[in-house]
Amino acid sequence: MASFETLRRRKDSSLIAVSVTVSPIRNLSGEIVGASTISRDITAAKESEHRIRLLMREGNHRVKNQFAVILSM
């Protein structure tokens, strides 16, 4: 099973982040005769990750500012 993340365009032309999983379909003798794909909308998870990174950068910036104030004293 292979899985990857990509962007897809909706019919209204907006972009969404999706996770796509591809699995082989085999016949009784084990030969691959097709593929099954599952796409999941992960837009909310990606937005959450982005917010977390932003908050971590802001927290890091504030800690550095406080450290600079303490050092100057």
Side-chain angles (χ1 to χ4, degrees), residues 37-56:
T37 60
I38 299 172
S39 297
R40 292 180 184 89
D41 183 355
I42 57 171
T43 304
K46 288 292 186 181
E47 289 172 355
S48 178
E49 288 175 15
H50 177 71
R51 278 192 298 272
I52 289 169
R53 280 194 303 273
L54 182 66
L55 289 171
M56 287 177 66

Side-chain angles (χ1 to χ4, degrees), residues 5 17 21 26 33 37 44 49-50 53 60 63 66 68 70:
E5 296 177 2
T21 303
R26 299 178 187 270
V33 294
T37 60
E49 288 175 15
H50 177 71
R53 280 194 303 273
N60 188 30
V63 167
Q66 291 297 322
I70 291 168

Side-chain angles (χ1 to χ4, degrees), residues 6-50:
T6 185
L7 292 175
R8 297 289 185 205
R9 189 170 302 279
R10 290 183 175 160
K11 288 182 181 181
D12 67 358
S13 77
S14 63
L15 290 176
I16 61 168
V18 295
S19 172
V20 180
T21 303
V22 181
S23 302
I25 298 175
R26 299 178 187 270
N27 63 13
L28 293 176
S29 62
E31 298 171 345
I32 297 176
V33 294
S36 171
T37 60
I38 299 172
S39 297
R40 292 180 184 89
D41 183 355
I42 57 171
T43 304
K46 288 292 186 181
E47 289 172 355
S48 178
E49 288 175 15
H50 177 71

